[in-house]
Amino acid sequence: MSTGQLKRFKGCEYLTHRLVLATLSGTPIRVEGIYPDEADPGVKDYQVSFLRLLEKLTNGSVIEISYTGTSFIYRPGNIIGGRVVHDCPTTKGIGYFLEPILILCLFAKTPTSLTLTGVTSSNEDIGVDVLRTSVLPSLQKRFQVGDELELRILKRGSAPGGGGEVNFLCPVIKESLPPIRLSEFGRVFRIRGIASSTRVSPAFANRLVESARGVLNPFIPDVFIYTDVRRGDECGNSPGYSITLVAETNKGCSYAAEHCGEAGETPEDVGSFCAKKLLEVIESGGCVDPYTQPSTLTGMLLSSEDVNTIVVGQLGITSQLVVFLRDVKALFNCEYRFKELESGQVEMSCLGKGYLNVNRRIQ
Amino acid sequence: LAYSQSGKRRRNIQKIFYDESLSPKDAYAEYKGESAKSSESDLVVSDDEEDFFKVSKVANESISSNHEKLMESESDRLSKKWENPQLLAQLKSRFITGSLLDSIEG
């Protein structure tokens, strides 16, 4: 249950991570100035939905939203986990809800089985394929949580209709997370990917694969892109197609890129654009890509009381990172240190808080 | 990147990022070496009272067409970027198939 003093924040950039940090630290927060100048001011439906999801995953959380919706108070409760089902609004992808939750569920009372329904891949938010093939394996490796950390894509749902369904399984950890020290990112030795489509011709997925391979093969021959074509009950009502590419290095790092087909874009455009995005992420370098970076930084913060170091690429340095750093400072009283490297990357380090799972059921 | 390679004094990134007097966007702009005011210049402000009641050109454009334009420009940027043979040669060293001599791995 929240016991600390109420912390105030202005604006709602990177709100989901702020709420997760508040839950982990047990600090009640007040967020003000939420889209006050817009024609439709106040918290958006997806933000309310995320608050409701936190309410389901915790016990004793209190959410008070102001009359105008431009401010709210969140008093976090205990993280209980368990079997949770949540409908995500189609205005945001499932990744918007799932990505910040990944670390939170590790510190729950019981193992989590979270079923989310909605849009499985969109260009605005992290897609479920990136989470399954890049982020989760990375977290499994870094935090030594094993194969129990799993994401199953039961149904695919494209925007705008959604109708996708995923099941996230997360164990609870018994000790604090191990410290992370990643300085070498190595060279890319293989590229894997998934080209998926819903309610369109199966040829679309093959066209995505061909165009992506056309860009990537001059760099490396070991490129294998699976196709996942869904029809009928296996997907939602909207037609769509997307591609996710993951490059793996010989030092155990991975870089991911994804892109969904929009109106007016051919599968060839989507495939080659995604491949070029991946090349840019590889060029940027670092030990984690921008998708894995938030979870890794949160894990570093919560790890055992030791120095954590990670090298991030220039693409990982964004204004959202600045918001995250300030939130961590406000809620955990911890600052990350930075060192610019000659190669252009930035080394980030912090001292772990030795965070223990106080919610875990004693057996 | 340009800053660190130019041999100038190293910046205190920590100071920039944790400086509460700067908004996160301004702090990021300062890190990138861009003027924080550049984003403000994008806003078209007119003092003309008649213009106040007219629908602005920006507002007239639909969100979807804005998105399409954004995607087009991003796609063009990436296409142009990866046409540069020098950049392509540099990138090859990041792959296991590239030459070990020009390795720049971390």
Side-chain angles (χ1 to χ4, degrees):
Chain A
M1 292 285 281
S2 57
T3 49
Q5 203 184 355
L6 188 82
K7 299 265 184 192
R8 286 168 181 267
F9 295 91
K10 198 153 191 179
C12 59
E13 203 181 351
Y14 230 35
L15 183 69
T16 51
H17 283 269
R18 182 180 293 162
L19 290 167
V20 166
L21 288 172
T23 310
L24 287 166
S25 66
T27 312
I29 60 167
R30 181 189 169 98
V31 183
E32 299 164 329
I34 304 168
Y35 307 117
D37 303 322
E38 286 199 3
D40 180 21
V43 280
K44 305 292 178 207
D45 60 344
Y46 51 85
Q47 291 169 333
V48 175
S49 179
F50 188 79
L51 284 165
R52 297 289 170 236
L53 175 60
L54 281 181
E55 209 174 26
K56 287 177 187 174
L57 287 167
T58 55
N59 185 20
S61 290
V62 178
I63 299 159
E64 295 167 36
I65 300 174
S66 71
Y67 186 71
T68 55
T70 55
S71 67
F72 70 84
I73 291 174
Y74 170 62
R75 294 178 198 282
N78 296 323
I79 311 162
I80 50 165
R83 195 174 290 273
V84 175
V85 180
H86 186 73
D87 275 329
C88 305
T90 52
T91 41
K92 281 280 178 187
I94 285 176
Y96 172 85
F97 301 89
L98 189 54
E99 192 264 328
I101 293 292
L102 299 178
I103 290 281
L104 186 82
C105 293
L106 289 172
F107 297 95
K109 183 179 178 183
T110 54
T112 307
S113 170
L114 174 64
T115 304
L116 296 170
T117 57
V119 176
T120 51
S121 51
S122 73
N123 282 331
E124 280 181 28
D125 306 296
I126 182 169
V128 291
D129 284 315
V130 174
L131 284 170
R132 192 174 68 84
T133 57
S134 177
V135 179
L136 285 188
S138 176
L139 295 185
Q140 278 173 350
K141 211 181 311 168
R142 311 272 180 255
F143 302 138
Q144 297 161 16
V145 281
D147 296 339
E148 293 159 69
L149 192 68
E150 193 183 346
L151 180 66
R152 294 174 186 157
I153 302 169
L154 306 173
K155 279 183 180 181
R156 285 188 184 274
S158 302
E165 188 177 334
V166 301
N167 182 223
F168 172 60
L169 301 171
C170 183
V172 293
I173 55 158
K174 291 165 186 163
E175 292 159 9
S176 57
L177 295 170
I180 298 172
R181 285 190 201 96
L182 295 170
S183 54
E184 290 187 342
F185 42 89
R187 292 163 159 233
V188 174
F189 76 101
R190 72 175 181 189
I191 294 173
R192 295 288 177 264
I194 298 168
S196 64
S197 67
T198 57
R199 296 197 185 278
V200 293
S201 161
F204 275 48
N206 295 329
R207 285 164 68 187
L208 285 167
V209 173
E210 285 307 308
S211 57
R213 283 184 70 98
V215 176
L216 297 171
N217 270 143
F219 292 95
I220 194 157
D222 193 355
V223 179
F224 195 91
I225 304 168
Y226 299 86
T227 55
D228 185 4
V229 178
R230 303 277 180 120
R231 280 174 290 187
D233 294 339
E234 295 173 318
C235 62
N237 291 325
S238 297
Y241 49 91
S242 65
I243 184 165
T244 302
L245 298 167
V246 180
E248 294 168 50
T249 74
N250 54 357
K251 297 281 183 188
C253 303
S254 65
Y255 306 111
E258 62 172 345
H259 191 62
C260 301
E262 297 270 350
E265 280 184 304
T266 63
E268 284 76 16
D269 295 338
V270 174
S272 66
F273 180 68
C274 184
K276 284 169 188 168
K277 259 167 78 172
L278 182 70
L279 293 182
E280 192 167 55
V281 181
I282 294 168
E283 185 208 21
S284 170
C287 298
V288 288
D289 63 8
Y291 295 118
T292 318
Q293 188 178 299
S295 306
T296 311
L297 289 179
T298 311
M300 283 167 66
L301 171 76
L302 304 175
S303 71
S304 56
E305 291 176 51
D306 205 341
V307 178
N308 291 263
T309 313
I310 197 165
V311 174
V312 298
Q314 283 294 324
L315 283 182
I317 310 287
T318 58
S319 62
Q320 287 191 328
L321 174 70
V322 180
V323 177
F324 175 82
L325 296 173
R326 291 179 184 182
D327 289 350
V328 167
K329 190 184 174 187
L331 294 164
F332 279 91
N333 194 24
C334 175
E335 283 191 20
Y336 289 82
R337 293 188 181 278
F338 295 83
K339 189 177 150 193
E340 275 184 299
L341 304 176
E342 289 294 318
S343 52
Q345 286 83 27
V346 176
E347 188 183 85
M348 289 180 72
S349 55
C350 78
L351 194 66
K353 284 292 199 184
Y355 189 87
L356 292 169
N357 188 355
V358 290
N359 302 301
R360 188 169 68 93
R361 180 179 284 164
I362 308 295
Q363 289 171 332
Chain B
L1 174 63
Y3 207 101
S4 61
Q5 286 177 344
S6 64
K8 288 183 188 173
R9 193 170 59 87
R10 279 185 191 277
R11 293 171 294 173
N12 190 344
I13 305 175
Q14 202 178 344
K15 200 175 171 186
I16 297 169
F17 284 175
Y18 286 108
D19 185 355
E20 293 284 344
S21 66
L22 294 170
S23 74
K25 277 182 184 162
D26 289 345
Y28 175 66
E30 187 156 331
Y31 166 75
K32 283 280 173 189
E34 296 160 3
S35 169
K37 285 175 183 173
S38 62
S39 57
E40 286 171 20
S41 65
D42 296 342
L43 299 170
V44 183
V45 180
S46 171
D47 292 333
D48 195 344
E49 280 184 23
E50 283 183 13
D51 283 355
F52 183 80
F53 296 103
K54 286 180 187 168
V55 179
S56 70
K57 206 177 176 183
V58 176
N60 225 357
E61 288 172 341
S62 67
I63 294 167
S64 62
S65 70
N66 277 342
H67 179 77
E68 275 171 32
K69 276 183 189 170
L70 203 74
M71 282 308 303
E72 261 177 42
S73 62
E74 183 70 0
S75 177
D76 287 346
R77 183 186 68 80
L78 283 177
S79 295
K80 274 182 194 159
K81 183 177 179 179
W82 297 122
E83 276 169 12
N84 184 344
Q86 210 176 347
L87 267 179
L88 286 173
Q90 267 183 2
L91 185 68
K92 279 205 171 163
S93 64
R94 285 275 161 85
F95 288 84
I96 208 98
T97 47
S99 166
L100 284 168
L101 292 171
D102 48 24
S103 170
I104 48 169
E105 72 181 54

